[in-house]
Amino acid sequence: MDHNKIRVRFAPSPTGPLHIGGVRTALYNYLFAKKQGGEIILRIEDTDQNRFVEGAEQYIIDAFNWCGIKFDEGVVEGGPFGPYRQSERKGIYQKYAFDLINSGHAYYAFDTGKELDEIRKSYESEKKTFIYNAIERKKLRNSLTLSQEELQSLLNKDTPFVIRFKMPANSDIILNDLIRGEIKVNTGVLDDKILFKSDGMPTYHLANIVDDHLMEVSHVIRGEEWLPSLPLHKLLYDAFDWKAPEFAHLPLLLKPEGNGKLSKRDGDRLGFPVFPLQWKDPKSGEISSGYREDGYFPDAFINMLALLGWNPGDEKELFNMDELVEAFSMERVGKSGSKFDPDKARWFNHQYLITKTDDYLAMLFIPILKSKKVSNTDSTFVATVIGMVKERANFIEDIWDHSSFFFVAPESYDPKAVKKRWKDTSYDEMHQLKLVLEGINDFTSSNIETILKTWIEENELGTGLVMNAFRLLIVGALKGPHLFDIVAMIGKDETLNRIDKGLINLGRKETINI
Ligand code: GLU
């Protein structure tokens, strides 16, 4: 086995949909490993049966498939260190818990949940906090206070017990974090964490350390919320006499306003997803929005996440996955949290949208056109339209707002624009303009433009007046790309029809009531 090999893992608990903070953690693991030719594992930490949520594991797998983070080993890929689902590794952990008892680093505790609750309450009534630690453990029912006979008799009677870590009473330990540097902690503030539960399952702490060791994980890169567990984890490695991996705790993703962790509620409140894919809660049926369903491109999503907490050290903002792998380094991950910026997320999507080919975008847009019962969904036509409007869109869905008039005649006319731009002379001018258009055989944008400009000049008409009125009839509003491009695209017949229809709808200025 190559002991210098970089091996990282992403180890989610399938307790619900994966937050984008979790996707970012997985991404940084991936980038870190791939940059150094290492491997990344997907391990499912499902030892807490009470928190099991149906569909959550599949959601995690689907989310990574969508955004292009590929694992070398894991629940789907398999691999030489499997199984990769902790519930399938149940039999492995007990031995390690007993090893720690034998080496004096852990002990049996027989206190029932009810007993501990009572102690906790009585402490609270005296405004004190109960911590199961080096001082308190002396007063409680555990293998450190019971006699050998009492202990044996309880064990013989199959009395339920947990195994707790024997946290040193008062010693300074030095921890190292790749992002935060050296951290000093006194064990006096820590409690005797449960390692093994009475239901025969390990807790997160034990299973996590045992698996990281057995799976030869070299670097643990995870969210900052796990930093408080680091002292215990380091002490567990020492207790087992195992080499600890390197640790990096990533700063939080913060609310757009700055303070506090980005939560689902912020997303609902400000109208952006905090999950990669849409999630339907299996119990309540509640639906949470996802980046995929909201129209984000996976590469834009990944690019946006990569820059939330890491920076390349220069102005470059657009990176595909290979470029991220190339540019990534842990030294450039910031120490403080990064504010999530929904506008920037949309900006990234726009940047990716405009670089996609018109044909590709047309393929994605045609189903939307079909859902709107548009008759002309010819892919060449659609691709040409997209080329003309994509600069204005952030999402595929937006393209409709910017291009509907290429596909359907306006049903209504923007009242503000009518009020401002449909003048006394407009009806007659548009009528004249229609006659001019009727005479044009070469109905291309540049030819129409040349002929109409000459006509405007010769008749001493106002270019602005004519063009705005003409646009109103064709588009229904004062928006859209170059008008001659639009009429050339929709063709002569449709252009003439829209003028007829508009003249009827808008009529002479004095006859409309506005
Ligand atoms: N199962 C833990 C979680 O849900 C893993 C934490 C870690 O990476 O050590 O985040």
Side-chain angles (χ1 to χ4, degrees):
M1 203 57 62
D2 176 2
H3 288 289
N4 293 321
K5 183 110 190 145
I6 302 290
R7 284 175 58 81
V8 300
R9 85 302 193 268
F10 182 63
S13 300
T15 54
L18 185 63
H19 186 275
I20 53 172
V23 182
R24 189 193 58 166
T25 299
L27 174 64
Y28 286 10
N29 270 285
Y30 176 85
L31 300 176
F32 180 81
K34 294 297 137 189
K35 169 98 193 239
Q36 298 169 85
E39 286 152 2
I40 177 166
I41 304 165
L42 177 63
R43 182 173 75 224
I44 298 292
E45 301 208 326
D46 58 349
T47 52
D48 191 349
Q49 301 293 336
N50 300 326
R51 297 179 66 213
F52 175 81
V53 173
E54 206 182 318
E57 180 183 314
Q58 192 56 46
Y59 178 97
I60 292 167
I61 293 164
D62 293 346
F64 289 128
N65 279 340
W66 175 66
C67 66
I69 296 178
K70 293 192 177 61
F71 291 88
D72 299 291
E73 293 167 34
V75 282
V76 178
E77 298 73 15
F81 297 85
Y84 293 90
R85 196 177 284 111
Q86 287 185 329
S87 57
E88 290 168 23
R89 301 170 64 81
K90 259 187 232 165
I92 295 178
Y93 308 108
Q94 192 171 24
K95 162 193 177 309
Y96 291 98
F98 285 124
D99 282 354
L100 290 183
I101 293 190
N102 294 336
S103 63
H105 292 99
Y107 60 90
Y108 297 98
F110 295 92
D111 325 275
T112 63
K114 199 164 156 248
E115 284 164 0
L116 293 176
D117 275 349
E118 271 161 23
I119 301 175
R120 236 172 249 128
K121 273 196 204 118
S122 85
Y123 271 60
E124 268 165 31
S125 67
E126 293 170 38
K127 302 243 173 307
K128 287 195 291 185
T129 320
F130 169 73
I131 304 174
Y132 207 124
N133 62 13
I135 299 165
E136 303 294 336
R137 73 165 86 105
K138 291 189 189 129
K139 306 177 208 158
L140 296 158
R141 279 206 319 144
N142 52 55
S143 55
L144 302 173
T145 57
L146 297 166
S147 70
Q148 196 54 41
E149 292 75 44
E150 284 170 316
L151 173 64
Q152 211 46 59
S153 130
L154 285 173
L155 292 177
N156 290 347
K157 280 188 274 176
D158 281 338
T159 316
F161 63 82
V162 299
I163 298 178
R164 285 184 183 267
F165 185 67
K166 193 175 161 199
M167 184 60 75
N170 176 19
S171 75
D172 282 334
I173 53 170
I174 307 284
L175 306 162
N176 244 302
D177 183 272
L178 292 174
I179 296 168
R180 271 144 231 281
E182 205 173 271
I183 305 165
K184 200 164 133 185
V185 181
N186 186 283
T187 56
V189 298
L190 304 171
D191 63 336
D192 291 356
K193 277 271 180 300
I194 297 178
L195 301 176
F196 201 77
K197 296 179 286 184
S198 52
D199 64 1
M201 289 290 261
T203 58
Y204 152 72
H205 301 291
L206 180 69
N208 186 271
I209 266 54
V210 167
D211 284 348
D212 281 348
H213 172 71
L214 296 178
M215 294 180 183
E216 297 181 6
V217 167
S218 65
H219 291 77
V220 168
I221 304 164
R222 61 186 172 189
E224 190 180 74
E225 63 273 29
W226 299 102
L227 195 56
S229 301
L230 181 58
L232 171 66
H233 292 183
K234 174 71 171 67
L235 289 170
L236 280 170
Y237 281 103
D238 293 348
F240 283 120
D241 206 11
W242 293 338
K243 182 176 180 297
E246 306 260 6
F247 289 93
H249 288 86
L250 305 173
L252 297 174
L253 286 188
L254 305 175
K255 298 174 190 299
E257 301 96 334
N259 291 326
K261 190 177 164 180
L262 179 68
S263 75
K264 179 167 161 303
R265 251 180 289 132
D266 301 314
D268 296 341
R269 190 168 51 88
L270 299 167
F272 62 85
V274 292
F275 302 117
L277 315 180
Q278 191 179 77
W279 165 258
K280 184 170 175 199
D281 188 281
K283 287 215 178 87
S284 66
E286 188 201 349
I287 293 192
S288 305
S289 64
Y291 280 83
R292 180 178 64 183
E293 290 73 12
D294 273 20
Y296 282 83
F297 295 109
D299 38 9
F301 172 70
I302 285 292
N303 194 156
M304 178 269 298
L305 272 187
L307 282 143
L308 276 175
W310 167 82
N311 74 79
D314 58 26
E315 298 299 301
K316 185 168 152 83
E317 287 190 286
L318 299 176
F319 292 85
N320 64 28
M321 192 68 105
D322 290 343
E323 291 167 331
L324 285 173
V325 167
E326 185 57 37
F328 188 80
S329 76
M330 206 53 90
E331 289 79 49
R332 293 211 153 272
V333 174
K335 282 192 182 56
S336 50
S338 312
K339 269 186 227 173
F340 181 81
D341 180 350
D343 290 334
K344 192 78 189 191
R346 288 187 277 270
W347 179 85
F348 272 110
N349 212 57
H350 173 73
Q351 297 304 320
Y352 277 80
L353 187 142
I354 57 177
T355 57
K356 308 268 180 215
T357 66
D358 298 343
D359 288 338
Y360 175 71
L361 296 173
M363 190 185 81
L364 301 177
F365 187 50
I366 287 171
I368 296 177
L369 290 174
K370 290 196 168 142
S371 75
K372 305 215 181 264
K373 309 265 181 293
V374 162
S375 53
N376 182 8
T377 56
D378 172 72
S379 55
T380 313
F381 180 81
V382 176
T384 312
V385 168
I386 285 178
M388 292 160 77
V389 303
K390 68 180 180 184
E391 274 295 341
R392 299 155 199 252
N394 290 335
F395 300 96
I396 297 284
E397 283 269 353
D398 294 351
I399 293 176
W400 174 252
D401 293 337
H402 299 293
S403 70
S404 59
F405 43 85
F406 282 100
F407 303 99
V408 287
E411 290 295 328
S412 60
Y413 303 85
D414 174 13
K416 265 196 206 143
V418 173
K419 193 167 179 184
K420 225 171 146 194
R421 303 293 180 196
W422 193 251
K423 304 281 186 191
D424 302 346
T425 52
S426 297
Y427 185 92
D428 289 330
E429 283 172 5
M430 290 301 109
H431 192 72
Q432 292 299 320
L433 180 135
K434 189 193 157 197
L435 299 178
V436 179
L437 290 172
E438 271 171 348
I440 303 178
N441 289 325
D442 172 17
F443 213 72
T444 54
S445 175
S446 58
N447 193 43
I448 304 165
E449 181 164 359
T450 315
I451 293 177
L452 287 196
K453 285 204 165 146
T454 316
W455 170 73
I456 289 170
E457 261 168 44
E458 282 173 357
N459 293 279
E460 294 177 10
L461 303 172
T463 307
L465 283 181
V466 170
M467 292 308 291
N468 281 320
F470 188 18
R471 187 177 284 275
L472 257 178
L473 300 184
I474 301 300
V475 174
L478 298 178
K479 63 173 190 183
H482 196 51
L483 185 57
F484 300 111
D485 290 346
I486 303 177
V487 292
M489 282 292 286
I490 63 176
K492 187 165 162 180
D493 289 351
E494 176 67 11
T495 303
L496 299 179
N497 283 342
R498 288 191 194 183
I499 296 175
D500 282 344
K501 191 175 159 200
L503 287 175
I504 293 168
N505 285 330
L506 294 178
R508 289 187 190 279
K509 172 102 185 189
E510 54 274 25
T511 65
I512 44 173
N513 243 347
I514 31 178

PDB file of all heavy atoms in Angstrom, residues 53 73 78 117 177 214 261 295 312 374 437 453:
ATOM      1  N   VAL A  53     -33.479   9.062   6.740  1.00  0.00           N
ATOM      2  CA  VAL A  53     -34.530   9.652   5.899  1.00  0.00           C
ATOM      3  C   VAL A  53     -34.535   8.956   4.549  1.00  0.00           C
ATOM      4  O   VAL A  53     -33.507   8.862   3.872  1.00  0.00           O
ATOM      5  CB  VAL A  53     -34.305  11.175   5.708  1.00  0.00           C
ATOM      6  CG1 VAL A  53     -35.305  11.739   4.708  1.00  0.00           C
ATOM      7  CG2 VAL A  53     -34.429  11.902   7.030  1.00  0.00           C
ATOM      8  N   GLU A  73     -14.102   5.670  -5.156  1.00  0.00           N
ATOM      9  CA  GLU A  73     -14.621   4.546  -4.379  1.00  0.00           C
ATOM     10  C   GLU A  73     -15.857   5.030  -3.651  1.00  0.00           C
ATOM     11  O   GLU A  73     -15.958   6.207  -3.330  1.00  0.00           O
ATOM     12  CB  GLU A  73     -13.597   4.118  -3.306  1.00  0.00           C
ATOM     13  CG  GLU A  73     -12.337   3.516  -3.859  1.00  0.00           C
ATOM     14  CD  GLU A  73     -11.247   3.408  -2.775  1.00  0.00           C
ATOM     15  OE1 GLU A  73     -11.578   3.184  -1.601  1.00  0.00           O
ATOM     16  OE2 GLU A  73     -10.074   3.558  -3.139  1.00  0.00           O
ATOM     17  N   GLY A  78     -18.089   0.985  -5.379  1.00  0.00           N
ATOM     18  CA  GLY A  78     -17.417  -0.104  -4.678  1.00  0.00           C
ATOM     19  C   GLY A  78     -15.952   0.259  -4.481  1.00  0.00           C
ATOM     20  O   GLY A  78     -15.588   1.431  -4.560  1.00  0.00           O
ATOM     21  N   ASP A 117     -30.889  12.283  32.816  1.00  0.00           N
ATOM     22  CA  ASP A 117     -31.836  13.406  32.676  1.00  0.00           C
ATOM     23  C   ASP A 117     -32.124  14.030  34.031  1.00  0.00           C
ATOM     24  O   ASP A 117     -32.189  15.254  34.172  1.00  0.00           O
ATOM     25  CB  ASP A 117     -33.161  12.920  32.071  1.00  0.00           C
ATOM     26  CG  ASP A 117     -33.085  12.881  30.566  1.00  0.00           C
ATOM     27  OD1 ASP A 117     -32.094  13.435  30.025  1.00  0.00           O
ATOM     28  OD2 ASP A 117     -33.982  12.287  29.935  1.00  0.00           O
ATOM     29  N   ASP A 177      -4.575  22.491  11.943  1.00  0.00           N
ATOM     30  CA  ASP A 177      -5.581  22.538  10.887  1.00  0.00           C
ATOM     31  C   ASP A 177      -4.950  23.249   9.691  1.00  0.00           C
ATOM     32  O   ASP A 177      -4.306  24.286   9.854  1.00  0.00           O
ATOM     33  CB  ASP A 177      -6.810  23.312  11.382  1.00  0.00           C
ATOM     34  CG  ASP A 177      -7.916  23.321  10.349  1.00  0.00           C
ATOM     35  OD1 ASP A 177      -7.931  24.234   9.485  1.00  0.00           O
ATOM     36  OD2 ASP A 177      -8.765  22.417  10.381  1.00  0.00           O
ATOM     37  N   LEU A 214      -9.163   2.798   8.586  1.00  0.00           N
ATOM     38  CA  LEU A 214      -9.172   1.579   7.757  1.00  0.00           C
ATOM     39  C   LEU A 214      -9.174   1.914   6.264  1.00  0.00           C
ATOM     40  O   LEU A 214      -8.637   1.165   5.455  1.00  0.00           O
ATOM     41  CB  LEU A 214     -10.397   0.708   8.085  1.00  0.00           C
ATOM     42  CG  LEU A 214     -10.439   0.135   9.508  1.00  0.00           C
ATOM     43  CD1 LEU A 214     -11.722  -0.671   9.708  1.00  0.00           C
ATOM     44  CD2 LEU A 214      -9.213  -0.742   9.788  1.00  0.00           C
ATOM     45  N   LYS A 261     -25.153  31.067   9.464  1.00  0.00           N
ATOM     46  CA  LYS A 261     -25.031  30.027   8.447  1.00  0.00           C
ATOM     47  C   LYS A 261     -26.194  30.112   7.461  1.00  0.00           C
ATOM     48  O   LYS A 261     -27.326  30.352   7.859  1.00  0.00           O
ATOM     49  CB  LYS A 261     -25.045  28.683   9.197  1.00  0.00           C
ATOM     50  CG  LYS A 261     -24.703  27.510   8.358  1.00  0.00           C
ATOM     51  CD  LYS A 261     -24.661  26.246   9.202  1.00  0.00           C
ATOM     52  CE  LYS A 261     -24.699  25.060   8.281  1.00  0.00           C
ATOM     53  NZ  LYS A 261     -24.676  23.787   8.945  1.00  0.00           N
ATOM     54  N   GLY A 295     -32.923  25.692 -13.310  1.00  0.00           N
ATOM     55  CA  GLY A 295     -32.336  26.047 -14.601  1.00  0.00           C
ATOM     56  C   GLY A 295     -30.855  26.374 -14.577  1.00  0.00           C
ATOM     57  O   GLY A 295     -30.340  26.958 -15.527  1.00  0.00           O
ATOM     58  N   PRO A 312      -8.550  32.174  -6.641  1.00  0.00           N
ATOM     59  CA  PRO A 312      -7.368  31.740  -7.376  1.00  0.00           C
ATOM     60  C   PRO A 312      -6.178  32.686  -7.202  1.00  0.00           C
ATOM     61  O   PRO A 312      -5.095  32.395  -7.706  1.00  0.00           O
ATOM     62  CB  PRO A 312      -7.848  31.740  -8.835  1.00  0.00           C
ATOM     63  CG  PRO A 312      -8.944  32.752  -8.876  1.00  0.00           C
ATOM     64  CD  PRO A 312      -9.592  32.756  -7.528  1.00  0.00           C
ATOM     65  N   VAL A 374     -46.051  26.469 -29.549  1.00  0.00           N
ATOM     66  CA  VAL A 374     -45.513  27.223 -30.677  1.00  0.00           C
ATOM     67  C   VAL A 374     -45.448  26.310 -31.893  1.00  0.00           C
ATOM     68  O   VAL A 374     -45.068  25.145 -31.771  1.00  0.00           O
ATOM     69  CB  VAL A 374     -44.094  27.727 -30.294  1.00  0.00           C
ATOM     70  CG1 VAL A 374     -43.305  28.133 -31.507  1.00  0.00           C
ATOM     71  CG2 VAL A 374     -44.208  28.876 -29.304  1.00  0.00           C
ATOM     72  N   LEU A 437     -43.304  47.622 -47.651  1.00  0.00           N
ATOM     73  CA  LEU A 437     -42.822  46.258 -47.370  1.00  0.00           C
ATOM     74  C   LEU A 437     -43.377  45.256 -48.388  1.00  0.00           C
ATOM     75  O   LEU A 437     -42.677  44.322 -48.798  1.00  0.00           O
ATOM     76  CB  LEU A 437     -43.219  45.830 -45.956  1.00  0.00           C
ATOM     77  CG  LEU A 437     -42.497  46.544 -44.802  1.00  0.00           C
ATOM     78  CD1 LEU A 437     -43.138  46.162 -43.464  1.00  0.00           C
ATOM     79  CD2 LEU A 437     -41.014  46.183 -44.779  1.00  0.00           C
ATOM     80  N   LYS A 453     -35.076  52.910 -44.790  1.00  0.00           N
ATOM     81  CA  LYS A 453     -34.378  54.157 -44.436  1.00  0.00           C
ATOM     82  C   LYS A 453     -34.519  55.188 -45.554  1.00  0.00           C
ATOM     83  O   LYS A 453     -34.736  56.376 -45.299  1.00  0.00           O
ATOM     84  CB  LYS A 453     -32.913  53.878 -44.104  1.00  0.00           C
ATOM     85  CG  LYS A 453     -32.814  53.235 -42.744  1.00  0.00           C
ATOM     86  CD  LYS A 453     -31.481  53.427 -42.079  1.00  0.00           C
ATOM     87  CE  LYS A 453     -31.617  53.077 -40.602  1.00  0.00           C
ATOM     88  NZ  LYS A 453     -30.420  52.474 -40.044  1.00  0.00           N
TER      89      LYS A 453
END
